[in-house]
Amino acid sequence: MLRIRRLSREGAGKDARGWNRGMRTRLGCLSHKSDSYNDFTAILPDKPNRALKRLSTEEATRWADSFDVLLSHKYGLAAFRAFLKTEFSEENLEFWLACEDFKKTRSAAKLASKAQRIFEEFIDVQAPREVNIDFQTRELTRRNMQEPSLSCFDQAQGKVHSLMEKDSYPRFLRSKIYTDLLSQTQRRLS
């Protein structure tokens, strides 16, 4: 199959060069995805202009203290989500948030249906927003689904939290989204 494709491109001569050039252009666009935000209204929840005015440099700087500090701050969470979207990995945060919401479920009737929805959306193989967890964790979570409890996603949530903390969070702190946001809060003070 590969040989046939190669021959057809080579045989096409001029068309092959055009095909290669077009492919390079398409791939180049993907590799230059922007993580810069000059207009933070897209990432900040609730009346973004007012939110950005309320966000202090100290608060934004504290996000670098720890991953949990970032997650606990409304605007930090919004900025981190925007960053993950540029990396096409927001499913990790969405899963973590779904688990946090799930743990607040008090109705036994809703518990099973919520657990099933989270499992089908994030954990199951080929789920629409499948998170990257190891086989053992996936299987443990599958077994936990037989009798859902408030802790049935704990191990999977912990793995995803750890992955974001070790991988995405350091990149977020170096990202243009975060550095631009810090700069904008500092400029506002001057």
Side-chain angles (χ1 to χ4, degrees):
M1 182 83 132
L2 180 61
R3 189 168 187 270
I4 293 169
R5 282 191 189 136
R6 187 177 296 138
L7 285 175
S8 65
R9 274 188 255 142
E10 289 169 358
K14 194 175 193 177
D15 290 339
R17 285 189 297 275
W19 183 87
N20 287 336
R21 193 176 310 116
M23 187 56 72
R24 254 185 275 127
T25 302
R26 282 188 214 101
L27 292 174
C29 290
L30 287 175
S31 68
H32 297 304
K33 63 182 183 264
S34 172
D35 69 343
S36 176
Y37 273 82
N38 293 326
D39 175 15
F40 290 95
T41 59
I43 64 170
L44 295 174
D46 312 330
K47 301 182 179 81
N49 291 330
R50 194 178 323 157
L52 191 56
K53 288 177 185 167
R54 283 192 207 150
L55 180 63
S56 71
T57 303
E58 295 79 34
E59 286 175 309
T61 303
R62 262 186 262 133
W63 300 345
D65 291 347
S66 83
F67 184 51
D68 290 323
V69 169
L70 172 73
L71 292 178
S72 68
H73 195 278
K74 180 166 79 170
Y75 303 136
L77 186 63
F80 187 58
R81 177 181 277 140
F83 169 74
L84 290 177
K85 283 182 181 183
T86 68
E87 299 217 322
F88 306 104
S89 62
E90 68 266 22
E91 71 278 353
N92 294 322
L93 181 61
E94 297 303 328
F95 169 70
W96 185 84
L97 291 170
C99 290
E100 289 298 295
D101 180 61
F102 177 75
K103 290 176 187 176
K104 296 174 188 168
T105 304
R106 295 294 165 234
S107 163
K110 290 182 181 178
L111 192 71
S113 64
K114 271 187 166 183
Q116 190 61 39
R117 184 189 61 74
I118 291 170
F119 185 83
E120 289 173 358
E121 188 170 349
F122 299 104
I123 302 293
D124 209 5
V125 176
Q126 301 297 314
R129 300 195 301 170
E130 183 179 359
V131 293
N132 185 13
I133 54 174
D134 59 89
F135 176 79
Q136 289 83 7
T137 303
R138 190 177 313 280
E139 287 307 304
L140 173 66
T141 306
R142 185 182 310 281
R143 285 192 302 275
N144 290 345
M145 292 298 295
Q146 292 169 359
E147 289 185 39
S149 68
L150 292 176
S151 62
C152 66
F153 295 109
D154 283 358
Q155 187 168 357
Q157 185 185 20
K159 299 269 182 170
V160 168
H161 181 279
S162 180
L163 176 70
M164 289 190 298
E165 185 174 32
K166 290 180 177 140
D167 186 39
S168 304
Y169 175 61
R171 284 198 315 275
F172 167 73
L173 295 176
R174 295 186 305 265
S175 74
K176 212 158 161 27
I177 287 178
Y178 182 60
T179 56
D180 286 354
L181 187 61
L182 274 178
S183 296
Q184 198 164 347
T185 61
Q186 290 165 346
R187 259 185 271 140
R188 200 183 60 241
L189 296 174
S190 346

